[in-house]
Amino acid sequence: MPLMTPEEFEESLKPLKPKVFMNGKRVESILENRNTRTVVEANKASYAWALDPASKDIMTCHSPLIDDVVNRYTHVSASREDLVKKAEAGTFTAENLGTCIYRCVGYDAFHSLASTTWEMDRDLGTSYRPRFLEYLKMVQTKDLSVAGALTEPRGNRSKKTLDWQDPYLSLRVVDKNKDGIVVRGAKINISGAFASHELVVLPQAAHFKGEEDYAVAFATPADAEGITYICQYTPYSAERDLADDLEELGNPVFGQRETSMVVFDNVFVPWNRVFHCGEYPYSVKLVTRFAKTHRMTCGGTCKVGFMNQIIGAAKLIQEYKGLQKATHINEELMEMVILRETGRACGLAAATRGAEEPEGSGVFLPDELMGNVSKLNVCNAFWRVMALAGDIGGGLIVTLPSLKELKNPEVKAYVEEFYSFGSDEPTENIMKVHKLLQNWTAGLHGVGTWHGAGPVMAQKIMLQRVIDYEREKNLVKQTLHIKDKPEDP
Ligand SMILES: Cc1cc2nc3c(=O)[nH]c(=O)nc-3n(C[C@H](O)[C@H](O)[C@H](O)COP(=O)(O)OP(=O)(O)OC[C@H]3O[C@@H](n4cnc5c(N)ncnc54)[C@H](O)[C@@H]3O)c2cc1C
């Protein structure tokens, strides 16, 4: 069985030397830096769960590719059952981490690549699919963590790619030789890439004639020569840097959702890792199939897990305050549950209505309509859940003093007395739950949830493409016995 233990995963990162910058400084060790460490911990958890009897059914599956048990995050769905398990894994990982499972975007990119390389080979006679499957076999056999990178800086959005002054604002091929390709450009907002073994890179957008150099997809080791990570740095990063004890924080171990800009400065990629190069009509298929898979996850599965954290904290605060009988608070909690279950239902519907795409490829993708609806719903539902939790939590969510005060002899007694709500619960616990809600409601998650997997307009554009009103029109005609006009002779 190729599954790594969490300890082996950590060991496997040690020889890698990614070039990482954060807050104006080089990060010498991603294992030791407090903020990059959160990604290591989240990935590590995915290895622990795969070996844990309580979660291995969710986190592992049999891979026909290597005829062995693999981590689910390296598997390409080959049935609706696989898609349902994928949805369940998204919720399980999110509710246990309270942040991203950083193997998720790579997992979704595998689906898009498996499907589109098959189609390119069928239509064009290329040999991308066997190449991709060899790569995937290697990933499964070594049980690697793989990040996914699509989003690009882009130039002026009202102009076409070829009209941008800087031709590298979308990643492109700058050289090709008998051994491989050289790429230059950058990917932005990329989750957890610096603590992964590998990056899978897809185009961000459709490409057109003349844009062949931008139509490129490949895999690269995360520490390949020429790759630089410039990490996000937020007030939450600073808070983690300044903490005396990580237990002061809203999510002590796994932290916030960590991303970085990944710069590719003339990075060489050997041909056996190139899965799309110049066949521009297929860039859009790579993007839309990725989006189809990722929107089910971001809309209907991981945000369900995040909402569970928020609902749990709101409920605890209700109890600390003795508000169990407050009707409006019970209604607010119920509204949160309804929004959560609506999200879950859409995600599961996307999975159970999934289909093989293209037919014959053996790759199952979620239903496009339901996947986009689930992401669209969650964009608004998540803000609403944050608002409801904010109401229940009260101003303390944003006015809370540092948990350091509980160790400050000059004010400890005051803090313990006046933040106790007169309950039997230790004040430290009450403060920690408020801190967790601060993380969720006054942090990075609102905008993060909105934009992760694309902003709402991207889902609406996709929906406009798939919605077909013919059936509904015909239903009305049938009810009213309206006959179609006879066709012109
Ligand atoms: C927490 C987080 C994690 C992420 N992780 C990853 C990851 O691992 N891998 C990855 O590839 N990406 C990742 N992303 C990126 C995410 O997919 C993008 O943020 C998202 O697609 C939106 O792109 P953008 O941020 O560039 O915003 P923009 O595209 O700039 O959107 C801002 C606004 O401009 C509008 N807009 C943009 N272009 C046009 C246009 N041409 N015409 C009209 N309106 C337009 C949008 O609709 C929106 O209203 C992550 C994002 C977040 C927040």
Side-chain angles (χ1 to χ4, degrees), residues 219-238:
T220 176
D223 65 342
E225 178 84 30
I227 295 184
T228 302
Y229 299 89
I230 303 169
C231 298
Q232 70 180 46
Y233 198 77
T234 67
Y236 283 95
S237 323

Side-chain angles (χ1 to χ4, degrees), residues 262 442 473:
V262 187
K473 279 165 38 187

Side-chain angles (χ1 to χ4, degrees), residues 113 135 171 181 183 187 199-202 216-220 227 264 267 269-270 273-276:
L113 281 167
Y135 173 74
L171 184 134
I181 60 173
V183 295
K187 296 283 180 179
L199 312 184
V200 170
V201 175
L202 301 186
V216 63
F218 59 88
T220 176
I227 295 184
F264 296 78
V267 174
V269 185
R273 285 167 162 269
V274 177
F275 311 125
H276 171 54

Side-chain angles (χ1 to χ4, degrees), residues 189-253:
N189 309 343
I190 306 307
S191 299
F194 48 75
S196 304
H197 301 106
E198 290 272 325
L199 312 184
V200 170
V201 175
L202 301 186
Q204 170 169 24
H207 287 299
F208 306 95
K209 195 160 175 48
E211 297 178 2
E212 288 79 357
D213 287 339
Y214 294 96
V216 63
F218 59 88
T220 176
D223 65 342
E225 178 84 30
I227 295 184
T228 302
Y229 299 89
I230 303 169
C231 298
Q232 70 180 46
Y233 198 77
T234 67
Y236 283 95
S237 323
E239 186 189 36
R240 182 167 291 268
D241 278 338
L242 292 171
D244 291 339
D245 178 348
L246 295 181
E247 294 302 316
E248 292 165 19
L249 305 175
N251 187 344
V253 179

